């Protein structure tokens, strides 16, 4: 089961309450919670790949922590980043590896 998400309300609740509610209730409350189609672990791998591909490293940092909590191993995330390096760009992989090291205690 996916942990109840409150980051939207905590960070944007006063500024953008509708966006915060969509983030917490729809994205995480409905889509991420639908584990009969994809596990939280698989969703984490997919999300990390998409964020790396776009170079969205502030969001990647949070999602790497979530991936680790969802059972994605360091070996698996290293393989993911290595694979993506050839498709999304070498500099993005370097940047992602810095966050992987921080998340998995290698920094």
């Amino acid at each position: 089961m996916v942990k109840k998400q409150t980051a939207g309300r905590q960070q944007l609740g006063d500024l953008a309450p509708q966006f915060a509610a969509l983030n917490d209730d729809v994205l995480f409350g409905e889509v991420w919670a639908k584990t009969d189609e994809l596990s939280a672990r698989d969703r984490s791998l997919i999300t990390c790949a998409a964020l790396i591909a776009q170079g969205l490293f502030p969001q990647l940092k949070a999602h790497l922590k979530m991936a680790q909590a969802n059972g994605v191993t360091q070996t698996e995330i290293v393989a993911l980043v290595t694979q993506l390096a050839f498709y999304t760009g070498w500099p993005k992989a370097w940047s992602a590896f810095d966050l992987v090291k921080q998340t998995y205690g290698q920094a």
Side-chain angles (χ1 to χ4, degrees), residues 2-89:
V2 176
K3 181 181 167 189
K4 172 82 171 139
Q5 181 63 255
T6 59
R9 286 182 175 85
Q10 288 173 358
Q11 295 177 29
L12 297 174
D14 292 336
L15 175 66
Q18 183 181 18
F19 182 89
L22 290 168
N23 181 81
D24 294 353
D25 301 337
V26 178
L27 175 58
F28 287 97
E30 293 179 26
V31 177
W32 271 83
K34 196 149 178 57
T35 56
D36 61 323
E37 295 175 348
L38 286 171
S39 68
R41 180 190 171 285
D42 290 347
R43 287 183 193 278
S44 283
L45 285 167
I46 293 164
T47 301
C48 287
L51 293 172
I52 292 167
Q54 296 178 78
L56 298 174
F57 300 109
Q59 291 83 4
L60 177 62
K61 184 175 182 176
H63 278 279
L64 283 172
K65 290 178 186 175
M66 189 182 300
Q68 186 179 39
N70 286 334
V72 176
T73 68
Q74 178 177 317
T75 300
E76 291 170 322
I77 205 72
V78 166
L80 175 89
V81 175
T82 301
Q83 175 81 14
L84 287 172
F86 292 93
Y87 294 93
T88 67

